[in-house]
């Protein structure tokens, strides 16, 4: 059996997204950059649907297509083949990141095979929303249609932008124009979101489309290359650390999430193998970590999670934890921790360790409630990735005594955290049969306690 590769760690969302991965990834990039000459931060899935806020000194920036680690000049950030990239948003995000990071900005490389996600895809998604009474609750960033182009074997890739293959770009625009015409819509007039603009903008004519792409090609061209050799050499060498940051979460995966309210990319560690063309075997990554929020879950979209909380407790958590979408600003649904779903996600996702964030979201007048099993017709049933089925199950809960938030926040190490918190963590770890690496006890960087 091959040995695991030292200095490699991968993070995924262990629930339904927005678990606070960004900050943890950032911490590992910084720690690894003290130990190794270089850190490669690799993202293999998703696109501008992702969103998290990272801090750099006293500045904050919402990242979407860029992973964390962008504020570390010893890091090389790679946007992999498995992603769908929106060039206009990416240029805006790179500019915003450079303004914040200055000389600390990481090097950025884009795999030439990454699929383009364009205003045409966003327009098509907007059209589906009009036709399907509100659509599927997607972020409107054109993610589904861009991945669909891959499966229809007609994707445009970053190398088509770099080489400016005009014929392919024109034929793409005309196809989408015809599709929308078939739905009685004029693609030129469809409004689509663009990063950095407050209001959506019209897609515009074929000419406008081409002119914009030409400009983007000139700006991004030098970042686009065949990254496979570089990944191969570094993965097989020992000078460099690897940090993988997945986008979204396993609960949003099209195979394992609450189908059909899922995203379109592989949100598990398997995606790393595909995106790196088999160079990286995820089984050899040392730590494969699922990040979850310790005391609740959040979800944004149409899905109905069995453990949904309604009323004042949900409002309180939403306000205290700022549970509003970083990409869409939508208020997030709040739910109790759902062990049947979460442990299933960890199993199918190849997870071998946990990080629990938001341990400070706890109230003296409320037990910490956790769903331990589902019942259907009075019999215990497992999680299944099917919304219709999940609407029928009845969650069974177990209550834990809340811990004192200020005692938790004063603790400098695991020994010092309140006993109620220790008991809770032990329970979660045993239910998962996985170790907990660290917890966070507040939004600030130093509010982190390492357990192992
Ligand atoms: P899409 O990824 O835009 O196609 O959206 C599909 C579903 O995934 C919707 O329910 C979105 O709200 C959800 N989703 C996509 N990206 C994220 C994320 O980064 N955090 C939370 N939910 C997300």
């Amino acid at each position: 059996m091959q040995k695991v590769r030292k200095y490699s760690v991968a993070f995924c969302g262990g629930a339904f997204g927005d678990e606070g991965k960004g900050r943890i990834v950032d911490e590992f990039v910084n720690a690894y950059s003290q130990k190794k000459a270089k850190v490669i931060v690799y993202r293999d899935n998703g696109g501008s649907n992702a969103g998290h806020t990272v801090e750099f000194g006293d500045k904050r920036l919402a990242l979407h297509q860029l992973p964390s680690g962008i504020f570390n000049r010893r890091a090389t950030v790679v946007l992999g083949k498995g992603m769908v990239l929106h060039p206009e948003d990416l240029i805006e995000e790179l500019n915003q990141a450079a303004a914040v990071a200055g000389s600390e900005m990481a090097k950025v490389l884009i795999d030439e095979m990454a699929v383009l996600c364009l205003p045409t895809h966003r327009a098509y998604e907007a059209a589906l929303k009009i036709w399907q009474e509100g659509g599927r609750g997607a972020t409107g960033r054109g993610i589904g249609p861009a991945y669909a182009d891959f499966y229809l074997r007609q994707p445009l890739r970053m190398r088509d932008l770099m080489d400016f293959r005009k014929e392919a770009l024109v034929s793409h625009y005309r196809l989408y124009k015809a599709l929308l015409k078939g739905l009685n819509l004029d693609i030129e007039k469809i409004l689509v979101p663009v990063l950095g603009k407050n209001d959506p903008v019209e897609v515009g004519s074929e000419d406008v489309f081409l002119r914009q792409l030409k400009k983007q090609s000139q700006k991004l061209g030098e970042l686009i290359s065949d990254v496979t050799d570089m990944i191969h050499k570094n993965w097989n060498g020992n000078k460099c650390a690897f940090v993988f940051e997945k986008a979204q979460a396993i609960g949003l995966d099209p195979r394992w999430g609450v189908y059909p309210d899922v995203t379109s990319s592989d949100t598990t560690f398997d995606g790393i193998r595909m995106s790196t063309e088999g160079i990286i075997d995820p089984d050899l990554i040392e730590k494969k970590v699922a990040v979850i929020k310790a005391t609740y879950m959040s979800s944004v979209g149409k899905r109905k999670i069995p453990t949904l909380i309604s009323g004042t407790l949900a409002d309180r958590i939403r306000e205290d934890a700022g549970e509003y979408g970083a990409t869409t600003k939508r208020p997030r649904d709040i739910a109790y921790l759902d062990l049947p779903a979460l442990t299933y996600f960890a199993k199918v996702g190849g997870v071998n360790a946990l990080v629990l964030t938001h341990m400070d979201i706890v109230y003296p007048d409320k037990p910490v409630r956790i769903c331990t099993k589902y019942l259907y017709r009075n019999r215990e049933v497992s999680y299944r990735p099917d919304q219709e089925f999940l609407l029928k199950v009845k969650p069974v809960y177990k209550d834990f005594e809340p811990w004192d938030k200020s005692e938790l926040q004063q603790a400098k190490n695991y020994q010092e955290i309140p006993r109620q918190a220790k008991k809770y963590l032990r329970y979660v770890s045993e239910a998962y049969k996985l170790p907990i690496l660290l917890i966070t006890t507040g939004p600030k960087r130093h509010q982190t306690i390492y357990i192992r």
Side-chain angles (χ1 to χ4, degrees):
M1 214 170 73
Q2 257 183 302
K3 277 215 241 134
V4 293
R5 188 195 186 277
K6 289 235 166 82
Y7 291 101
S8 64
V9 62
F11 293 93
C12 74
F16 298 94
D18 311 305
E19 296 91 352
K21 280 190 302 284
R23 161 183 166 190
I24 312 291
V25 171
D26 218 34
E27 246 183 76
F28 271 78
V29 174
N30 289 336
Y32 279 176
S33 72
Q34 310 294 319
K35 297 197 170 133
K36 290 279 169 184
K38 196 161 96 179
V39 184
I40 292 181
V41 188
Y42 191 93
R43 169 164 288 178
D44 69 280
N45 75 303
S48 55
N49 49 348
H52 56 244
T53 309
V54 284
E55 288 180 14
F56 182 64
D58 55 358
K59 296 181 189 138
R60 285 162 73 85
L61 182 69
L63 295 178
H64 302 280
Q65 300 183 88
L66 296 173
S68 307
I70 191 73
F71 301 139
N72 185 322
R73 80 189 139 83
R74 295 173 82 171
T76 298
V77 160
V78 181
L79 307 182
K81 172 177 175 174
M83 292 187 72
V84 289
L85 294 171
H86 188 276
E88 187 172 359
D89 278 12
L90 183 58
I91 291 167
E92 170 66 18
E93 198 176 329
L94 286 166
N95 288 340
Q96 289 180 9
V100 171
S103 59
E104 287 300 310
M105 175 95 168
K107 183 174 174 188
V108 177
L109 297 178
I110 303 170
D111 190 327
E112 62 176 14
M113 296 295 277
V115 169
L116 283 170
C117 177
L118 297 171
T120 42
H121 296 118
R122 291 186 176 174
Y124 187 58
E125 193 162 78
L128 291 177
K129 197 168 172 180
I130 295 166
W131 273 75
Q132 295 171 334
E133 292 167 14
R136 288 260 56 100
T139 58
R141 297 314 191 263
I143 306 298
Y147 277 113
D149 267 355
F150 172 77
Y151 286 107
L152 291 167
R153 285 146 296 145
Q154 56 184 25
L156 289 169
R157 301 197 187 256
M158 287 312 276
R159 67 178 172 202
D160 299 319
L161 180 73
M162 178 176 69
D163 301 339
F164 204 71
R165 290 184 51 217
K166 190 172 165 191
E167 230 175 83
L169 299 171
V170 166
S171 125
H172 169 89
Y173 181 90
R174 290 186 185 164
L175 171 67
Y176 275 81
K177 188 178 165 81
L179 284 172
L180 264 71
K181 194 168 171 202
L183 296 172
N184 279 331
L185 293 163
D186 177 1
I187 195 165
E188 296 193 20
K189 300 272 179 297
I190 300 260
L191 295 170
V192 291
V194 178
L195 187 69
K197 297 194 174 142
N198 285 334
D199 297 312
V201 298
E202 284 184 357
V203 172
S205 65
E206 183 178 304
D207 248 19
V208 170
F209 177 74
L210 285 177
R211 257 188 282 129
Q212 285 171 346
L213 287 177
K214 182 86 197 167
K215 263 199 235 154
Q216 293 155 13
S217 159
Q218 285 155 356
K219 290 205 173 129
L220 291 177
E222 60 184 30
L223 307 183
I224 304 169
S225 64
D226 168 8
V227 298
T228 47
D229 260 6
M230 188 280 286
I231 297 288
H232 198 269
K233 267 193 218 124
N234 282 297
W235 182 252
N236 291 320
N238 61 8
K239 290 210 174 76
C240 174
F242 275 81
V243 179
F244 300 89
E245 184 186 333
K246 300 285 313 178
Q248 286 80 48
I250 306 178
L252 300 175
D253 187 280
R255 300 155 301 170
W256 316 117
V258 182
Y259 194 88
D261 297 306
V262 293
T263 189
S264 308
S265 66
D266 181 340
T267 62
T268 72
F269 300 119
D270 288 344
I272 296 168
R273 189 197 309 272
M274 187 288 288
S275 187
T276 59
E277 300 190 351
I279 297 168
I280 293 176
D281 174 353
D283 287 345
L284 302 185
I285 298 173
E286 196 174 13
K287 297 187 192 86
K288 288 180 287 177
V289 186
V291 182
I292 59 168
K293 286 187 270 223
T295 58
Y296 68 98
M297 312 189 300
S298 70
S299 158
V300 58
K302 284 193 140 185
R303 75 195 66 78
K304 296 265 175 291
I305 294 174
T307 59
L308 210 64
I309 312 175
S310 53
T312 51
L313 178 61
D315 296 341
R316 206 163 160 192
I317 295 175
R318 190 176 301 110
E319 292 316 309
D320 289 350
E323 292 292 356
Y324 292 89
T327 301
T328 57
K329 313 281 182 258
R330 288 180 286 184
R332 296 176 185 145
D333 289 337
I334 308 294
Y336 293 116
L337 222 64
D338 178 338
L339 285 177
L342 295 176
T343 52
Y344 173 94
F345 297 157
K347 188 183 85 177
V348 295
V351 169
N352 66 14
L354 301 171
V355 162
L356 268 59
T357 63
H358 296 72
M359 274 295 279
D360 55 317
I361 302 296
V362 61
Y363 303 100
D365 57 332
K366 292 271 173 209
V368 181
R369 183 162 286 176
I370 185 165
C371 164
T372 55
K373 57 183 180 185
Y374 295 157
L375 293 181
Y376 176 55
R377 294 186 174 147
N378 288 328
R379 288 200 9 229
E380 186 174 344
V381 288
S382 307
Y383 169 89
R384 287 175 54 206
D386 172 19
Q387 178 72 84
E388 259 185 60
F389 170 77
L390 292 170
L391 286 173
K392 296 182 201 147
V393 303
K394 191 170 163 303
V396 176
Y397 293 106
K398 179 174 170 65
D399 284 353
F400 288 80
E401 202 185 326
W403 44 92
D404 183 71
K405 180 174 156 180
S406 54
E407 198 186 329
L408 173 83
Q409 292 188 320
Q410 276 156 27
K412 284 182 226 49
N413 53 46
Y414 177 70
Q415 283 2 310
E416 288 178 16
I417 71 170
R419 69 175 166 77
Q420 296 90 339
K422 278 191 196 132
K423 184 175 174 197
Y424 182 75
L425 291 173
R426 264 199 308 272
Y427 185 88
V428 173
S429 175
E430 275 165 24
Y432 267 100
K433 298 190 184 72
L434 290 175
I436 299 173
L437 292 186
L438 66 92
I439 56 171
T440 69
T441 61
K444 295 269 169 272
R445 242 164 216 263
H446 67 272
Q447 293 176 303
T448 300
I449 293 179
Y450 282 81
I451 299 181
R452 329 183 142 231

